[in-house]
Structure formats: C-alpha cells, structure tokens
Amino acid sequence: MDYPILLHLHLGFAVAFLISYTIKSVLFLSGKQDAFLNYKKKTLIVETLLSVGFLVCGFILIYMLIGFGGYQHWLDPKITLALLAIPLGIVGFKKSNKILVALSLLFFYISLVIGLMHYH
C-alpha cells in the first residue's frame, strides 16, 4: 500500500477513535453512569474496529519507515504516549478510576498533536 494513503487512513482512524473515546470519557468523568454504559454498549464494536484500524496502520507505517530508513525520533514520544494511553484507559474504566481515564485521554490528545505537528 502507498505510504501517503496509509498515513491518511491512520489519521482518519485515529481521529474517529478519539472522537468516540472523548465522548465515552466525558460521560464517564461527568458521572453520568447510565449514559456512559449505554454509549459504551452501543459503540463497543465500532470503537474496537477504529482502534484496531489505527494501530494496524500505525504499525505498518513504522515498519515502512524503518525499512526505508525514514524513521524520525519525534515518533518516539508519540508512540509511547499512545501505547501508554491504551492500558491506562482500560484499567481506568475497569477500576472506575477517573484520574487514569483523564490521563489516558490526555495522552491520546498529546499523541495526536505531536502527529499533526509533523503531518505531511
């Protein structure tokens, strides 16, 4: 697959996932338990597909960059924050820990901003 197409797919999956994750997180953080559970139940499959989509595209992009010698070190904090945000969110939602959920959401947004700063 062509690198620019894969990059656009990665961004599309990431933004769509982040919109859904933000809605879910805000419902959770605001204490609207019924709305949160209802939203989570309705979007579980879509959110899972979006997260798998952006992770798979991201791993293929990294593989391509390493293989072609184009890996840039600004990707290190972006990848680290995105990969830390995943378990923080999972544990935060399972343990009803608002701090972990908020930290997870923050890490995803910082990761997106870092990526957008270098998007071409």
Side-chain angles (χ1 to χ4, degrees):
M1 181 173 273
D2 194 28
Y3 181 85
I5 293 171
L6 197 57
L7 184 62
H8 292 321
L9 275 172
H10 175 67
L11 177 62
F13 279 126
V15 169
F17 168 79
L18 194 53
I19 289 168
S20 177
Y21 192 78
T22 300
I23 294 167
K24 182 171 75 171
S25 297
V26 167
L27 290 171
F28 175 80
L29 294 170
S30 66
K32 298 179 179 178
Q33 194 66 14
D34 291 337
F36 163 72
L37 292 173
N38 190 30
Y39 183 82
K40 182 180 170 185
K41 186 169 67 170
K42 288 182 179 178
T43 62
L44 180 64
I45 293 173
V46 172
E47 195 170 284
T48 301
L49 292 173
L50 292 173
S51 63
V52 168
F54 92 79
L55 284 171
V56 168
C57 288
F59 285 128
I60 295 170
L61 286 167
I62 291 170
Y63 177 78
M64 290 172 79
L65 287 174
I66 291 171
F68 298 127
Y71 186 84
Q72 298 171 348
H73 291 287
W74 64 263
L75 287 164
D76 294 341
K78 176 187 184 293
I79 293 167
T80 302
L81 287 171
L83 291 177
L84 283 173
I86 295 167
L88 284 175
I90 292 169
V91 172
F93 285 120
K94 281 192 187 276
K95 302 282 186 179
S96 295
N97 187 321
K98 290 183 178 185
I99 293 172
L100 291 181
V101 171
L103 197 57
S104 172
L105 186 62
L106 178 65
F107 282 4
F108 275 129
Y109 271 101
I110 293 171
S111 182
L112 177 67
V113 168
I114 292 170
L116 289 174
M117 286 171 46
H118 298 91
Y119 190 76
H120 45 62

